[in-house]
Amino acid sequence: MARVIVDVMLKPEILDAQGQAIARALPRLGFSGVSAVRQGKRFEVELEGPADEAAIADVRKMAETLLANTVIEDFTVTVES
């Protein structure tokens, strides 16, 4: 069994309102030194078999069709060791 991580983030040119709200709230909670926050999503996909090239290609297809809105989001696929 293998685990593949899909991290999804808004593209840099897209306004991240949630990230901005978090960044504004941090000083009120006593945290300083943070200049910006970008909020994203993380998916952990457990595969029944090994994380070979075909399985990773399938996970990429999952990300493109369901997990990420590729118009406004980028994603990365990483095999967890």
Side-chain angles (χ1 to χ4, degrees):
M1 186 181 303
R3 178 177 289 170
V4 179
I5 308 301
V6 180
D7 287 309
V8 179
M9 295 293 293
L10 286 172
K11 291 182 178 184
E13 62 271 15
I14 302 297
L15 175 68
D16 184 353
Q18 286 181 299
Q20 289 178 343
I22 292 166
R24 285 191 307 269
L26 289 173
R28 291 192 308 266
L29 297 171
F31 299 99
S32 61
V34 177
S35 61
V37 175
R38 301 229 8 122
Q39 186 262 336
K41 300 179 279 190
R42 174 184 165 113
F43 298 91
E44 297 180 0
V45 180
E46 299 220 2
L47 303 175
E48 292 178 351
D52 57 15
E53 288 183 31
I56 294 171
D58 282 346
V59 173
R60 283 190 205 288
K61 191 67 174 169
M62 289 175 209
E64 290 171 357
T65 55
L66 178 64
L67 304 179
N69 177 350
T70 56
V71 173
I72 62 169
E73 295 173 319
D74 291 325
F75 66 89
T76 59
V77 176
T78 309
V79 178
E80 191 173 74
S81 52

Coordinates of all heavy atoms in Angstrom, one line a residue:
M1 N 0.8 -1.2 0.0 CA 0.0 0.0 0.0 C 0.9 1.2 0.0 O 1.9 1.3 0.7 CB -0.9 0.0 1.2 CG -1.9 1.1 1.2 SD -3.0 1.2 2.6 CE -3.8 -0.3 2.7
A2 N 0.5 2.2 -0.8 CA 1.2 3.5 -0.8 C 0.3 4.7 -0.6 O -0.9 4.6 -0.8 CB 1.9 3.6 -2.2
R3 N 0.9 5.8 -0.1 CA 0.1 7.0 0.1 C 0.7 8.1 -0.8 O 1.9 8.3 -0.9 CB 0.2 7.4 1.5 CG -0.5 8.7 1.8 CD -0.5 9.1 3.3 NE -1.3 8.2 4.0 CZ -1.3 8.1 5.3 NH1 -0.6 8.8 6.0 NH2 -2.1 7.2 5.9
V4 N -0.2 8.7 -1.5 CA 0.2 9.8 -2.4 C -0.5 11.1 -1.9 O -1.7 11.1 -1.6 CB -0.2 9.5 -3.9 CG1 0.1 10.7 -4.8 CG2 0.4 8.2 -4.3
I5 N 0.3 12.2 -1.8 CA -0.2 13.4 -1.3 C -0.5 14.4 -2.5 O 0.4 14.6 -3.3 CB 0.8 14.1 -0.3 CG1 1.2 13.1 0.8 CG2 0.2 15.4 0.2 CD1 0.1 12.6 1.6
V6 N -1.7 15.0 -2.5 CA -2.0 16.0 -3.5 C -2.2 17.3 -2.7 O -3.2 17.4 -1.9 CB -3.3 15.6 -4.3 CG1 -3.6 16.7 -5.3 CG2 -3.1 14.3 -5.0
D7 N -1.4 18.3 -2.9 CA -1.5 19.6 -2.3 C -2.1 20.5 -3.4 O -1.6 20.6 -4.5 CB -0.2 20.1 -1.8 CG 0.3 19.4 -0.6 OD1 -0.5 19.3 0.4 OD2 1.5 18.9 -0.6
V8 N -3.1 21.2 -3.0 CA -3.8 22.2 -3.9 C -3.7 23.6 -3.4 O -4.1 23.8 -2.2 CB -5.3 21.7 -4.1 CG1 -6.0 22.7 -5.1 CG2 -5.4 20.3 -4.6
M9 N -3.3 24.5 -4.2 CA -3.2 25.9 -3.8 C -3.8 26.8 -4.9 O -3.7 26.5 -6.0 CB -1.7 26.3 -3.6 CG -1.0 25.6 -2.4 SD -1.6 26.0 -0.8 CE -1.1 27.7 -0.7
L10 N -4.3 27.9 -4.4 CA -4.7 28.9 -5.4 C -3.5 29.4 -6.2 O -2.4 29.5 -5.7 CB -5.4 30.1 -4.8 CG -6.8 29.9 -4.2 CD1 -7.2 31.2 -3.4 CD2 -7.8 29.7 -5.3
K11 N -3.7 29.7 -7.5 CA -2.6 30.2 -8.3 C -2.2 31.5 -7.7 O -3.0 32.3 -7.1 CB -3.1 30.3 -9.8 CG -3.3 29.0 -10.5 CD -3.7 29.2 -11.9 CE -3.9 27.8 -12.5 NZ -4.2 27.9 -14.0
P12 N -0.9 31.9 -7.9 CA -0.4 33.1 -7.3 C -1.2 34.4 -7.7 O -1.3 35.3 -6.8 CB 1.0 33.2 -7.7 CG 1.4 31.8 -8.1 CD 0.1 31.2 -8.6
E13 N -1.7 34.4 -8.9 CA -2.4 35.6 -9.3 C -3.9 35.7 -8.8 O -4.6 36.7 -9.0 CB -2.4 35.7 -10.8 CG -3.1 34.6 -11.5 CD -2.2 33.4 -11.9 OE1 -1.1 33.3 -11.3 OE2 -2.6 32.6 -12.7
I14 N -4.3 34.7 -8.1 CA -5.7 34.6 -7.6 C -5.7 35.2 -6.2 O -4.9 34.7 -5.3 CB -6.3 33.2 -7.7 CG1 -6.3 32.7 -9.1 CG2 -7.7 33.2 -7.1 CD1 -7.1 33.4 -10.1
L15 N -6.6 36.1 -5.9 CA -6.8 36.6 -4.5 C -7.2 35.5 -3.6 O -8.1 34.8 -3.8 CB -7.8 37.7 -4.5 CG -8.2 38.3 -3.1 CD1 -7.0 39.1 -2.6 CD2 -9.4 39.2 -3.2
D16 N -6.4 35.4 -2.5 CA -6.7 34.4 -1.4 C -7.3 35.1 -0.2 O -6.6 35.5 0.7 CB -5.4 33.7 -1.0 CG -5.6 32.6 0.0 OD1 -6.8 32.4 0.5 OD2 -4.7 31.8 0.2
A17 N -8.6 35.3 -0.3 CA -9.3 36.0 0.8 C -9.2 35.3 2.2 O -9.0 35.9 3.2 CB -10.8 36.2 0.4
Q18 N -9.3 34.0 2.2 CA -9.1 33.2 3.4 C -7.7 33.4 4.0 O -7.6 33.6 5.2 CB -9.4 31.8 3.2 CG -10.9 31.5 3.1 CD -11.2 30.0 2.9 OE1 -10.7 29.4 1.9 NE2 -11.9 29.4 3.8
G19 N -6.7 33.4 3.2 CA -5.4 33.6 3.6 C -5.2 35.0 4.2 O -4.5 35.2 5.2
Q20 N -5.8 36.0 3.5 CA -5.7 37.3 4.0 C -6.4 37.5 5.4 O -5.9 38.2 6.3 CB -6.3 38.3 3.0 CG -5.4 38.5 1.8 CD -6.1 39.4 0.8 OE1 -7.3 39.7 0.9 NE2 -5.3 39.9 -0.1
A21 N -7.5 36.8 5.6 CA -8.2 36.9 6.8 C -7.4 36.2 7.9 O -7.4 36.8 9.1 CB -9.6 36.2 6.7
I22 N -6.8 35.1 7.6 CA -5.9 34.5 8.6 C -4.7 35.4 9.0 O -4.4 35.6 10.2 CB -5.4 33.1 8.1 CG1 -6.6 32.1 7.9 CG2 -4.3 32.6 9.0 CD1 -6.2 30.9 7.1
A23 N -4.1 36.0 8.0 CA -3.0 36.9 8.2 C -3.4 38.1 9.1 O -2.6 38.5 10.0 CB -2.4 37.4 6.9
R24 N -4.6 38.6 8.9 CA -5.1 39.7 9.7 C -5.4 39.3 11.2 O -5.2 40.1 12.1 CB -6.3 40.4 9.1 CG -6.0 41.2 7.9 CD -7.1 42.1 7.4 NE -8.4 41.3 7.2 CZ -8.7 40.8 6.0 NH1 -7.9 40.9 5.0 NH2 -9.8 40.1 5.9
A25 N -5.8 38.0 11.3 CA -6.2 37.6 12.7 C -5.0 37.2 13.5 O -5.1 37.3 14.7 CB -7.1 36.3 12.5
L26 N -3.9 36.8 12.9 CA -2.7 36.3 13.7 C -2.2 37.4 14.7 O -2.0 37.0 15.8 CB -1.6 35.9 12.7 CG -1.9 34.6 12.0 CD1 -0.8 34.3 10.9 CD2 -2.0 33.4 12.9
P27 N -2.0 38.6 14.3 CA -1.6 39.6 15.3 C -2.5 39.8 16.5 O -2.1 39.9 17.6 CB -1.4 40.9 14.5 CG -1.3 40.5 13.1 CD -2.1 39.3 13.0
R28 N -3.8 39.7 16.2 CA -4.8 39.8 17.3 C -4.7 38.6 18.3 O -5.1 38.7 19.4 CB -6.2 39.8 16.8 CG -6.5 41.1 16.0 CD -8.0 41.3 15.8 NE -8.6 40.1 15.1 CZ -8.8 40.0 13.8 NH1 -8.4 41.0 13.0 NH2 -9.4 39.0 13.2
L29 N -4.1 37.5 17.8 CA -3.9 36.3 18.6 C -2.6 36.2 19.2 O -2.2 35.2 19.8 CB -4.2 35.0 17.8 CG -5.7 34.9 17.3 CD1 -5.8 33.8 16.3 CD2 -6.6 34.7 18.4
G30 N -1.8 37.3 19.0 CA -0.5 37.3 19.6 C 0.7 36.8 18.8 O 1.8 36.7 19.3
F31 N 0.5 36.5 17.5 CA 1.5 36.1 16.6 C 2.0 37.2 15.8 O 1.2 38.0 15.2 CB 1.0 34.9 15.7 CG 0.5 33.7 16.5 CD1 -0.8 33.5 16.7 CD2 1.5 32.8 16.9 CE1 -1.2 32.4 17.4 CE2 1.0 31.7 17.6 CZ -0.3 31.5 17.9
S32 N 3.3 37.4 15.7 CA 3.9 38.5 14.9 C 4.9 38.0 13.9 O 5.3 36.8 14.0 CB 4.5 39.5 15.9 OG 5.6 38.9 16.6
G33 N 5.3 38.8 13.0 CA 6.3 38.5 12.1 C 5.8 37.7 10.8 O 6.6 37.3 10.0
V34 N 4.5 37.6 10.7 CA 3.9 37.0 9.5 C 3.5 38.0 8.5 O 2.7 38.9 8.8 CB 2.7 36.1 9.9 CG1 2.1 35.5 8.6 CG2 3.1 35.0 10.9
S35 N 4.1 38.0 7.3 CA 3.7 39.0 6.3 C 2.6 38.6 5.3 O 1.9 39.4 4.8 CB 5.0 39.3 5.5 OG 5.4 38.2 4.8
A36 N 2.4 37.2 5.2 CA 1.3 36.8 4.3 C 1.0 35.3 4.6 O 1.9 34.6 5.0 CB 1.8 36.9 2.8
V37 N -0.2 34.9 4.3 CA -0.7 33.6 4.4 C -1.4 33.2 3.2 O -2.2 34.0 2.7 CB -1.6 33.4 5.7 CG1 -2.1 32.0 5.8 CG2 -0.8 33.8 6.9
R38 N -1.2 32.0 2.7 CA -2.0 31.4 1.6 C -2.6 30.1 2.1 O -1.9 29.3 2.6 CB -1.1 31.2 0.3 CG -0.5 32.5 -0.1 CD -0.6 32.9 -1.5 NE -1.3 32.3 -2.5 CZ -2.3 33.0 -3.2 NH1 -2.6 34.2 -2.9 NH2 -2.9 32.4 -4.2
Q39 N -3.9 30.0 1.9 CA -4.6 28.8 2.4 C -4.8 27.8 1.3 O -5.0 28.2 0.1 CB -5.9 29.3 3.0 CG -6.7 28.2 3.7 CD -7.8 27.6 2.8 OE1 -8.2 28.2 1.9 NE2 -8.1 26.4 3.1
G40 N -4.7 26.5 1.5 CA -4.8 25.5 0.5 C -5.5 24.3 1.0 O -6.0 24.2 2.2
K41 N -5.4 23.2 0.2 CA -6.1 21.9 0.6 C -5.0 20.8 0.4 O -4.1 20.9 -0.4 CB -7.2 21.6 -0.3 CG -8.3 22.6 -0.3 CD -9.5 22.2 -1.3 CE -9.1 22.6 -2.7 NZ -10.2 22.5 -3.6
R42 N -5.1 19.8 1.3 CA -4.2 18.6 1.2 C -5.1 17.4 1.1 O -6.0 17.2 2.0 CB -3.3 18.6 2.4 CG -2.5 17.3 2.5 CD -1.7 17.3 3.8 NE -1.1 16.0 4.0 CZ 0.2 15.7 4.0 NH1 1.1 16.7 3.7 NH2 0.6 14.5 4.3
F43 N -4.8 16.5 0.2 CA -5.5 15.2 0.0 C -4.5 14.1 0.2 O -3.4 14.2 -0.4 CB -6.2 15.1 -1.3 CG -7.2 16.1 -1.6 CD1 -6.9 17.3 -2.2 CD2 -8.6 15.9 -1.2 CE1 -7.9 18.3 -2.5 CE2 -9.5 16.9 -1.5 CZ -9.2 18.1 -2.1
E44 N -4.8 13.1 1.0 CA -4.0 11.9 1.2 C -4.7 10.8 0.5 O -5.8 10.4 1.0 CB -3.7 11.6 2.6 CG -2.9 12.7 3.3 CD -2.7 12.4 4.8 OE1 -3.1 11.4 5.3 OE2 -2.0 13.3 5.4
V45 N -4.2 10.3 -0.6 CA -4.8 9.2 -1.4 C -4.0 7.9 -1.1 O -2.8 7.8 -1.3 CB -4.7 9.5 -2.9 CG1 -5.4 8.4 -3.7 CG2 -5.4 10.9 -3.2
E46 N -4.7 6.9 -0.5 CA -4.1 5.6 -0.2 C -4.4 4.7 -1.4 O -5.5 4.5 -1.7 CB -4.6 5.0 1.1 CG -4.3 6.0 2.3 CD -3.9 5.2 3.5 OE1 -3.8 4.0 3.5 OE2 -3.7 5.9 4.5
L47 N -3.3 4.1 -2.0 CA -3.4 3.2 -3.1 C -3.4 1.8 -2.6 O -2.8 1.5 -1.6 CB -2.3 3.5 -4.1 CG -2.1 4.9 -4.6 CD1 -0.9 5.0 -5.5 CD2 -3.4 5.3 -5.4
E48 N -4.1 0.9 -3.3 CA -4.1 -0.5 -3.0 C -2.8 -1.2 -3.3 O -2.4 -2.1 -2.7 CB -5.3 -1.2 -3.7 CG -6.6 -0.8 -3.2 CD -7.8 -1.4 -3.9 OE1 -7.5 -2.1 -4.9 OE2 -8.9 -1.2 -3.5
G49 N -2.2 -0.7 -4.4 CA -0.9 -1.3 -4.8 C 0.2 -0.3 -4.7 O 0.1 0.7 -3.9
P50 N 1.3 -0.6 -5.4 CA 2.5 0.3 -5.3 C 2.2 1.7 -6.0 O 1.3 1.7 -6.9 CB 3.6 -0.5 -6.0 CG 2.9 -1.4 -6.9 CD 1.6 -1.7 -6.3
A51 N 3.0 2.7 -5.7 CA 2.9 4.0 -6.3 C 3.8 4.0 -7.6 O 4.8 4.7 -7.6 CB 3.3 5.1 -5.4
D52 N 3.4 3.2 -8.6 CA 4.2 3.2 -9.8 C 3.8 4.3 -10.7 O 2.9 5.1 -10.4 CB 4.1 1.8 -10.5 CG 2.7 1.4 -10.8 OD1 1.8 2.3 -10.7 OD2 2.4 0.2 -11.1
E53 N 4.4 4.4 -11.9 CA 4.1 5.5 -12.8 C 2.6 5.6 -13.2 O 2.0 6.6 -13.3 CB 5.0 5.4 -14.0 CG 6.4 5.8 -13.8 CD 7.2 5.8 -15.0 OE1 6.7 6.1 -16.1 OE2 8.4 5.5 -14.9
A54 N 2.0 4.4 -13.4 CA 0.6 4.4 -13.8 C -0.3 4.8 -12.7 O -1.3 5.6 -12.9 CB 0.2 2.9 -14.2
A55 N 0.0 4.4 -11.5 CA -0.8 4.9 -10.3 C -0.7 6.4 -10.1 O -1.7 7.0 -9.8 CB -0.4 4.1 -9.1
I56 N 0.5 6.9 -10.2 CA 0.7 8.3 -10.0 C 0.0 9.1 -11.1 O -0.6 10.1 -10.9 CB 2.2 8.6 -9.9 CG1 2.8 8.0 -8.7 CG2 2.4 10.1 -9.9 CD1 4.3 8.1 -8.6
A57 N 0.0 8.6 -12.3 CA -0.7 9.2 -13.4 C -2.2 9.3 -13.1 O -2.9 10.2 -13.4 CB -0.4 8.5 -14.7
D58 N -2.7 8.2 -12.6 CA -4.1 8.1 -12.2 C -4.4 9.2 -11.1 O -5.5 9.9 -11.2 CB -4.5 6.8 -11.7 CG -4.7 5.7 -12.8 OD1 -4.8 6.2 -14.0 OD2 -4.8 4.5 -12.5
V59 N -3.6 9.3 -10.1 CA -3.8 10.3 -9.1 C -3.7 11.7 -9.7 O -4.5 12.6 -9.3 CB -2.8 10.2 -7.9 CG1 -2.9 11.3 -6.9 CG2 -3.0 8.8 -7.3
R60 N -2.8 12.0 -10.6 CA -2.8 13.3 -11.3 C -4.1 13.6 -12.0 O -4.6 14.7 -12.0 CB -1.6 13.3 -12.3 CG -0.3 13.6 -11.7 CD 0.8 13.8 -12.8 NE 2.1 13.5 -12.4 CZ 2.8 14.1 -11.5 NH1 2.3 15.2 -10.9 NH2 4.0 13.8 -11.1
K61 N -4.6 12.5 -12.7 CA -5.9 12.7 -13.4 C -7.0 13.0 -12.4 O -7.9 13.8 -12.7 CB -6.2 11.4 -14.2 CG -7.4 11.5 -15.1 CD -7.0 12.5 -16.3 CE -8.1 12.5 -17.3 NZ -8.0 13.6 -18.2
M62 N -7.0 12.3 -11.2 CA -8.0 12.6 -10.2 C -7.9 14.1 -9.8 O -8.9 14.7 -9.6 CB -7.7 11.8 -8.9 CG -8.0 10.3 -9.0 SD -7.5 9.5 -7.5 CE -7.1 7.9 -8.1
A63 N -6.7 14.6 -9.6 CA -6.5 15.9 -9.2 C -7.0 16.9 -10.3 O -7.7 17.9 -9.9 CB -5.0 16.2 -8.9
E64 N -6.7 16.6 -11.5 CA -7.2 17.5 -12.6 C -8.7 17.5 -12.8 O -9.2 18.5 -13.1 CB -6.5 17.0 -13.9 CG -5.1 17.2 -14.0 CD -4.4 16.6 -15.2 OE1 -5.2 15.9 -16.0 OE2 -3.2 16.7 -15.4
T65 N -9.4 16.4 -12.5 CA -10.8 16.3 -12.8 C -11.7 16.5 -11.6 O -12.8 17.0 -11.7 CB -11.2 14.9 -13.4 OG1 -10.7 13.9 -12.5 CG2 -10.6 14.7 -14.7
L66 N -11.2 16.3 -10.3 CA -12.0 16.4 -9.2 C -11.4 17.2 -8.0 O -12.1 18.1 -7.4 CB -12.4 15.0 -8.7 CG -13.2 14.9 -7.4 CD1 -14.6 15.5 -7.6 CD2 -13.3 13.5 -6.9
L67 N -10.2 17.0 -7.7 CA -9.6 17.6 -6.5 C -9.2 19.0 -6.6 O -9.3 19.8 -5.6 CB -8.4 16.7 -6.0 CG -8.6 15.2 -5.8 CD1 -7.3 14.6 -5.4 CD2 -9.7 15.0 -4.8
A68 N -8.9 19.5 -7.8 CA -8.5 20.9 -8.0 C -9.3 21.5 -9.1 O -9.7 20.8 -10.1 CB -7.0 20.9 -8.4
N69 N -9.6 22.7 -9.0 CA -10.2 23.5 -10.1 C -9.0 24.2 -10.8 O -8.5 25.2 -10.4 CB -11.1 24.6 -9.5 CG -11.7 25.5 -10.6 OD1 -11.3 25.5 -11.7 ND2 -12.7 26.3 -10.2
T70 N -8.6 23.5 -11.9 CA -7.3 23.9 -12.5 C -7.4 25.3 -13.2 O -6.4 25.8 -13.6 CB -6.9 22.9 -13.6 OG1 -7.9 22.7 -14.5 CG2 -6.5 21.6 -12.8
V71 N -8.6 25.9 -13.2 CA -8.7 27.3 -13.7 C -8.1 28.3 -12.7 O -7.4 29.2 -13.1 CB -10.2 27.7 -14.0 CG1 -10.3 29.1 -14.4 CG2 -10.7 26.8 -15.1
I72 N -8.3 28.0 -11.4 CA -7.8 28.9 -10.4 C -6.8 28.3 -9.4 O -6.3 29.0 -8.6 CB -9.0 29.6 -9.6 CG1 -9.8 28.5 -8.9 CG2 -9.8 30.4 -10.5 CD1 -10.8 29.0 -7.9
E73 N -6.6 27.0 -9.5 CA -5.7 26.3 -8.6 C -4.6 25.5 -9.3 O -4.8 25.0 -10.4 CB -6.5 25.3 -7.7 CG -7.5 26.0 -6.8 CD -8.4 25.0 -6.1 OE1 -8.9 24.0 -6.7 OE2 -8.7 25.3 -4.9
D74 N -3.5 25.4 -8.6 CA -2.4 24.5 -9.0 C -2.3 23.4 -8.0 O -2.8 23.5 -6.9 CB -1.0 25.3 -8.9 CG -0.9 26.4 -10.0 OD1 -1.4 26.2 -11.1 OD2 -0.2 27.4 -9.7
F75 N -1.7 22.3 -8.4 CA -1.6 21.2 -7.5 C -0.2 20.5 -7.7 O 0.4 20.6 -8.8 CB -2.7 20.1 -7.7 CG -2.7 19.4 -9.0 CD1 -2.0 18.2 -9.2 CD2 -3.5 19.9 -10.1 CE1 -2.0 17.6 -10.4 CE2 -3.5 19.3 -11.3 CZ -2.8 18.1 -11.5
T76 N 0.2 19.8 -6.7 CA 1.4 19.0 -6.7 C 1.1 17.6 -6.2 O 0.2 17.4 -5.4 CB 2.6 19.6 -5.9 OG1 2.2 19.6 -4.5 CG2 3.0 20.9 -6.4
V77 N 1.7 16.6 -6.8 CA 1.5 15.2 -6.4 C 2.8 14.7 -5.9 O 3.9 14.8 -6.5 CB 1.0 14.4 -7.6 CG1 0.9 12.9 -7.2 CG2 -0.3 14.9 -8.1
T78 N 2.8 14.1 -4.6 CA 4.0 13.6 -4.0 C 3.8 12.3 -3.4 O 2.7 12.1 -2.8 CB 4.5 14.6 -2.9 OG1 4.5 15.9 -3.4 CG2 5.8 14.2 -2.3
V79 N 4.7 11.3 -3.6 CA 4.6 10.0 -3.0 C 5.2 10.1 -1.6 O 6.3 10.5 -1.5 CB 5.3 8.9 -3.9 CG1 5.2 7.6 -3.2 CG2 4.7 8.9 -5.3
E80 N 4.4 9.7 -0.6 CA 4.9 9.7 0.8 C 5.8 8.5 1.0 O 5.4 7.4 0.7 CB 3.7 9.8 1.7 CG 4.2 10.1 3.1 CD 3.0 10.3 4.0 OE1 2.3 9.3 4.4 OE2 2.7 11.5 4.4
S81 N 6.9 8.7 1.6 CA 7.8 7.6 1.8 C 7.6 6.9 3.2 O 6.9 7.4 4.0 CB 9.3 8.0 1.7 OG 9.5 9.1 2.5

